[in-house]
Amino acid sequence: MPFEDASQVMPDAVATGLNWRPATMEDLDNWAGLIARTAAVERPVWYEKRGDLVHVLESTKNPAETSTLLGLDSDGVARAYGRISKNPAGDKATGMACVDPQWQQRGIGSAVLLWQEGQVRSRFESDQAAGHTTAPPRLRIQTEEQHEHQATLLMGHGYGAVRWFNEMHRPLSQQLPEAPLRAGLELRTLDPSLFEPVRQAHNDAFRDHWGSEPRDQESWRFTIEEPTARHDLSAVVIDSGTGEVAGYQLTSFDPGSAADRGFKEGYTELLGVRRAYRGQGIAQALLADAMQRYASAGMNVASLDVDSANPTGALQLYLGMGYAPVNRSMTWEKML
């Protein structure tokens, strides 16, 4: 049975005090409001906004009817949500969720997590039957280290932390580095003509990164059209001889986050260098260029997130460019 036709076992309405159903476009403001209320109390580094949720509902690989869950109180106000996502050939699914702070400690988080696990099992069964994968079902969920209540919930359901990530900041008030490119390499601002070549370069650059999977055109569109994306602060390094993309840096800027956190940060969402071009100072040149762009745009901090066990030595690269860790997050995993 195709995943989009799979039945859902909803959380118990009586036990949770909420009515459960998949999310729709008509729920966007209600859904985004729930996440914003929760974020106002828990203060995560990042949280989903309305535009992100539009992309969730537009996904053809993860139909909203079977991949999203919304819990509504008797007045129709969203009080909890969960969702899952998976690439058909992928060996894992990922989950996201939140519960309104006023509705926590009622077992709702556990109910949403159990729903996620059930849907992940169904998704793997569907993908296995279609010949997309032979991998056993696996669910991964990311949390910030500061959110101990989420860690307690996950550990109580048999999850273990399998990877740690560092959020890193680099003040732009300090002297900015210079890292010129070698002859034959050209730095250009990201523009629509480069979207597809950069996607291909990304898939090549991230082949050896833990947890990364190739991004198809739909997934890449969601990346490029992310609501806070700043193409004017993003750059691409081109091999002048071949026209090939050697490396790239994609930036976002969130005005709402700047108001909440009290500083303006240019955030490097993705930084990649193709294997054939590594060791030539391209990453350093892209980061130095990003800092110059951020400073010129009136930002205070350059920031990014890095896998603490990244095989390319990214952590040491960032430390050498003046970045310092400020927060930590972790990925939790459970084989289902």
Side-chain angles (χ1 to χ4, degrees):
M1 177 172 57
F3 182 63
E4 57 265 28
D5 297 332
S7 61
Q8 295 198 57
V9 178
M10 298 292 184
D12 186 270
V14 174
T16 60
L18 297 173
N19 297 310
W20 300 91
R21 60 170 174 77
T24 68
M25 287 291 182
E26 287 70 33
D27 295 312
L28 283 171
D29 291 333
N30 198 4
W31 187 3
L34 160 67
I35 297 173
R37 284 197 308 277
T38 305
V41 174
E42 299 187 347
R43 304 191 68 80
V45 172
W46 174 88
Y47 60 92
E48 294 170 302
K49 312 296 196 306
R50 191 182 192 277
D52 301 304
L53 303 180
V54 170
H55 288 167
V56 170
L57 296 176
E58 288 178 343
S59 173
T60 60
K61 297 189 294 292
N62 298 284
E65 294 79 5
T66 47
S67 300
T68 66
L69 177 73
L70 205 59
L72 309 171
D73 67 14
S74 58
D75 294 321
V77 178
R79 298 297 184 181
Y81 99 93
R83 68 179 180 88
I84 63 165
S85 62
K86 181 185 180 298
N87 288 323
D91 65 351
K92 65 182 180 301
T94 59
M96 294 190 71
C98 79
V99 178
D100 189 310
Q102 295 183 0
W103 284 70
Q104 293 178 9
Q105 304 300 318
R106 304 187 190 189
I108 295 173
S110 288
V112 172
L113 184 58
L114 291 173
W115 171 86
Q116 289 175 310
E117 293 180 359
Q119 291 307 101
V120 168
R121 291 188 184 96
S122 295
R123 177 59 187 269
F124 270 85
E125 289 174 2
S126 174
D127 288 345
Q128 289 165 355
H132 295 312
T133 182
T134 59
R138 178 201 318 257
L139 178 58
R140 288 180 182 164
I141 296 174
Q142 190 159 3
T143 70
E144 294 181 22
E145 192 171 43
Q146 60 173 313
H147 297 144
E148 296 180 0
H149 64 296
Q150 296 175 359
T152 299
L153 171 67
L154 292 169
M155 287 189 290
H157 284 268
Y159 289 76
V162 294
R163 206 77 167 192
W164 285 261
F165 298 81
N166 292 309
E167 181 195 4
M168 306 185 76
H169 286 182
R170 206 283 190 186
L172 297 174
S173 57
Q174 301 173 2
Q175 182 175 354
L176 301 182
E178 295 183 5
L181 289 166
R182 68 163 174 81
L185 294 176
E186 171 194 0
L187 192 143
R188 290 172 50 186
T189 299
L190 180 68
D191 66 58
S193 71
L194 294 169
F195 290 172
E196 177 59 18
V198 171
R199 180 184 75 87
Q200 296 175 10
H202 169 80
N203 287 342
D204 178 48
F206 276 76
R207 278 187 294 156
D208 53 0
H209 286 230
W210 182 84
S212 180
E213 295 176 352
R215 300 198 188 193
D216 60 16
Q217 291 181 335
E218 178 182 85
S219 297
W220 193 247
R221 179 174 70 82
F222 294 159
T223 299
I224 292 295
E225 295 178 2
E226 202 278 331
T228 60
R230 287 289 299 267
H231 298 166
D232 60 317
L233 303 178
S234 305
V236 180
V237 172
I238 305 291
D239 184 328
S240 302
T242 65
E244 185 175 57
V245 171
Y248 59 92
Q249 182 273 133
L250 303 186
T251 285
S252 68
F253 171 68
D254 186 345
S257 175
D260 291 342
R261 305 183 78 181
F263 56 87
K264 297 179 180 179
E265 62 177 328
Y267 186 87
T268 294
E269 294 280 353
L270 289 171
L271 175 72
V273 177
R274 300 186 86 141
R275 294 184 180 194
Y277 291 92
R278 290 179 183 168
Q280 301 181 36
I282 293 173
Q284 290 92 329
L286 285 164
L287 289 173
D289 174 75
M291 292 181 203
Q292 295 286 349
R293 290 171 187 257
Y294 300 166
S296 297
M299 298 183 187
N300 310 112
V301 171
S303 62
L304 46 77
D305 202 65
V306 61
D307 180 346
S308 60
N310 186 298
T312 65
L315 180 58
Q316 293 304 314
L317 164 67
Y318 301 143
L319 290 170
M321 297 289 288
Y323 290 83
V326 294
N327 292 305
R328 196 163 78 148
S329 62
M330 60 273 289
T331 296
W332 302 80
E333 180 178 282
K334 180 180 178 180
M335 302 299 297
L336 303 176

